[in-house]
């Protein structure tokens, strides 16, 4: 088997995963795309390990061992990532990445440009409410 076949397949898988990470809005689909990229790297590691083992008879198969570590890390990453996505979905009601960007500030913190609201301007609505309360108690 030539080294070009798994290398081309691996690069196609990696590019598909990269497109999924950059283009998707759903957090679960982004995690799936990251997993696809990791699987492309695993395929490359195994292909190069097999290719190099043909050159040297006494090898340790370090590419395959590194692939096992990568699979274990990917499983932990997916578990933690899904837990975070589910916690955010329960709190916010959406898993859309664009809607989750402003997690540190609430909509009441400032105006549209992020500045604090102007406190010097009189609030006509508050004056009307106090006038109505004064009339109701009189």
């Amino acid at each position: 088997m030539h080294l070009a076949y798994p290398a081309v397949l691996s690069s196609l898988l990696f590019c598909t995963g990269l497109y999924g990470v950059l283009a998707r809005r759903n957090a679960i689909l982004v995690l799936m795309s990251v997993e696809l990229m990791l699987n492309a790297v695993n395929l490359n590691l195994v292909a190069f390990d097999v290719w190099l083992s043909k050159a040297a008879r006494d090898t340790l198969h370090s590419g395959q061992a590194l692939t096992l570590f990568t699979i274990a890390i990917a499983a932990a990453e997916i578990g933690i990532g899904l837990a975070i996505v589910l916690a955010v979905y329960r709190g916010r009601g959406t898993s859309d990445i664009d809607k989750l960007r402003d997690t540190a500030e609430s909509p009441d913190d400032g105006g549209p440009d992020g500045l604090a609201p102007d406190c010097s301007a009189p609030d006509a609505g508050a004056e009307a409410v106090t006038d109505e309360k004064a009339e109701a108690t009189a």
Side-chain angles (χ1 to χ4, degrees), residues 4 26 42 51 56 72 74 77 81 99 106 123:
N26 192 350
N42 288 339
W51 182 64
E77 175 254 336
K99 294 178 182 175
S106 65
D123 192 8

Side-chain angles (χ1 to χ4, degrees), residues 106-122:
S106 65
D108 299 351
D109 287 346
D113 55 352
L115 299 175
D118 187 18
C119 295
S120 63

Side-chain angles (χ1 to χ4, degrees), residues 1 4 6 12 16 20-22 27-28 34 37 39 42 53 59 66 71 75 90 94 97 108 113 116 124-126 130:
M1 178 173 78
L12 288 175
T16 304
V21 167
L22 296 176
I28 295 175
V34 168
M37 291 168 58
N39 285 332
N42 288 339
S53 69
T59 59
L66 190 58
I71 290 171
R90 286 182 185 163
T94 184
I97 294 175
D108 299 351
D113 55 352
T130 55

Side-chain angles (χ1 to χ4, degrees), residues 14-82:
F14 191 84
C15 289
T16 304
L18 185 65
Y19 173 75
V21 167
L22 296 176
R24 298 291 179 191
R25 301 288 182 235
N26 192 350
I28 295 175
L29 292 177
V30 170
L31 286 175
M32 289 174 59
S33 298
V34 168
E35 192 71 25
L36 192 63
M37 291 168 58
L38 286 172
N39 285 332
V41 170
N42 288 339
L43 178 64
N44 241 351
L45 285 171
V46 170
F48 275 98
D49 182 55
V50 168
W51 182 64
L52 290 174
S53 69
K54 288 182 181 180
R57 296 287 179 202
D58 299 327
T59 59
L60 296 175
H61 296 290
S62 58
Q64 294 178 13
L66 190 58
T67 299
L68 289 176
F69 285 116
T70 307
I71 290 171
I73 290 172
E77 175 254 336
I78 286 296
I80 293 171
L82 282 176

